[in-house]
Amino acid sequence: EGVMMSDDLDDEELYAKVSDRLIRLAATIVGPADAEDVMIDGVVSALNSRRWAVVDDRVSYLYRCVTNAGRMHLRSSARRRGREDRSSSLAERVGRPIGIPEPVHEVRSAVAGLSARQRAVLYLTYWEDLDERTTAQRLGISVGSVRRHLDRARKNVEGKLHDSL
């Protein structure tokens, strides 16, 4: 596909060609509410990197940077949720009302329980329909890692869906 030949595209043209895919990747990792911020963080990180000028495969580099931005976002969100949970627990004990969590669809919930890398592998495999080699290249990991993450992701989602029945 034309996007893979990123050598002849300037940064703006490359972004225009891959931004839709990058935002879908980010949405798969962190959810739709934060996807645009994560995608932009990843792209800015790539463009500001000292390596950007010498990267051979800029598309794959962008995918890795967006995946890493998603991973950082998930870690930050988990820490924040931990603080909020502790605060809610304290508020409950002192009689303050707390918010009621909104219901989450079983599949979304099952995917949300996966690691960022597992979500990225699922996204690239199923939504972008990439083979294992291309997925590995995009994420900067080995083909064996792709297989391992995909297998674990499938088993985790299947188990969570089975448990919810």
Side-chain angles (χ1 to χ4, degrees):
E1 82 188 359
V3 173
M4 293 311 293
M5 299 317 260
S6 62
D7 305 0
D8 54 349
L9 300 177
D10 67 26
D11 293 346
E12 196 172 317
E13 292 169 325
L14 179 61
Y15 177 79
K17 293 265 188 205
V18 299
S19 62
D20 286 346
R21 290 191 200 150
L22 294 174
I23 197 130
R24 286 193 302 266
L25 172 64
T28 301
I29 294 170
V30 300
D34 297 321
E36 187 172 359
D37 290 338
V38 165
M39 186 268 294
I40 290 169
D41 287 347
V43 170
V44 168
S45 172
L47 294 174
N48 287 330
S49 166
R50 287 181 278 142
R51 293 192 59 219
W52 183 249
V54 296
V55 169
D56 290 330
D57 184 350
R58 288 184 168 185
V59 173
S60 293
Y61 192 70
L62 286 169
Y63 273 80
R64 285 192 296 275
C65 288
V66 169
T67 299
N68 288 336
R71 293 169 71 188
M72 288 188 295
H73 178 83
L74 289 175
R75 279 194 301 268
S76 175
S77 295
R79 286 190 301 268
R80 185 181 63 250
R81 273 192 310 276
R83 288 189 304 271
E84 290 169 355
D85 288 348
R86 288 188 298 278
S87 296
S88 293
S89 175
L90 177 62
E92 245 177 18
R93 286 185 293 213
V94 295
R96 293 187 193 144
I98 58 171
I100 300 171
E102 65 181 63
V104 179
H105 185 267
E106 290 84 4
V107 173
R108 182 173 284 150
S109 179
V111 172
L114 300 176
S115 71
R117 182 68 45 83
Q118 288 173 351
R119 291 183 205 186
V121 169
L122 277 177
Y123 169 77
L124 293 172
T125 301
Y126 291 111
W127 280 273
E128 289 220 3
D129 198 27
L130 299 179
D131 60 29
E132 291 172 343
R133 185 185 59 74
T134 307
T135 298
Q137 179 184 5
R138 291 264 169 101
L139 296 177
I141 60 178
S142 70
V143 172
S145 289
V146 168
R147 289 181 186 137
R148 203 169 30 261
H149 286 299
L150 191 56
D151 183 58
R152 289 177 184 161
R154 287 176 182 150
K155 287 177 180 173
N156 287 337
V157 169
E158 181 181 300
K160 288 177 184 179
L161 292 176
H162 185 269
D163 292 344
S164 69
L165 294 179

